[in-house]
Amino acid sequence: MSEPSIFTRILEGEVPSEIIAETENAFAIRDIAPQAPVHLLVIPKSAEYRNVVELAAGDPALLAEMIGLANSLASEHAGGDFRLIFNTGPAAGQTVFHVHAHVLAGDLDEGSLGG
Ligand code: AMP
């Protein structure tokens, strides 16, 4: 077995972080290094899937559940509009291989794809 991911350790209370919302199979925290006025992470409780490609193939309902949670958070913490980013692979900036969605919201630059 590999080491538990940082997100599993947060979920299990081993690393301090506030869980700001959860559904049956996913939870949300604030990113420790925010790149936007609102920068949240939506994370499956299970670390089974390393990235969004594996998640979409293995459990599309869980991917839909994550998107629903992102939408609720964007309504609660910003005006409702949001950008959803799944970094996929190290060359794309993925550093934690426990799939997670970055939810960016609040006064984002128009036309930018950046996160
Ligand atoms: P990625 O680079 O797409 O794998 O995203 C990993 C994200 O996790 C980065 O944006 C980090 O800032 C964030 N992160 C790492 N450790 C923590 C932590 N302890 N609490 C909250 N966010 C974290």
Side-chain angles (χ1 to χ4, degrees):
M1 283 288 287
S2 55
E3 291 287 301
S5 76
I6 183 73
F7 300 143
T8 296
R9 295 180 68 209
I10 287 171
L11 183 65
E12 293 182 352
E14 293 168 14
V15 170
S17 181
E18 183 188 355
I19 294 176
I20 59 170
E22 66 179 313
T23 59
E24 184 180 356
N25 300 298
F27 67 104
I29 61 174
R30 291 187 181 81
D31 197 291
I32 203 168
Q35 306 292 314
V38 175
H39 185 171
L40 310 174
L41 300 173
V42 172
I43 308 161
K45 291 178 180 174
S46 162
E48 178 178 356
Y49 301 105
R50 290 166 53 85
N51 61 53
V52 71
V53 176
E54 290 184 6
L55 174 63
D59 193 345
L62 176 52
L63 177 57
E65 185 176 325
M66 290 172 65
I67 292 171
L69 180 53
N71 186 45
S72 303
L73 288 164
S75 296
E76 187 180 336
H77 293 268
D81 294 347
F82 63 99
R83 186 174 295 160
L84 198 62
I85 295 174
F86 290 90
N87 293 328
T88 306
Q94 187 176 6
T95 58
V96 180
F97 295 88
H98 172 166
V99 63
H100 53 281
H102 295 257
V103 182
L104 305 181
D107 208 16
L108 302 176
D109 290 342
E110 271 182 51
S112 164
L113 288 175

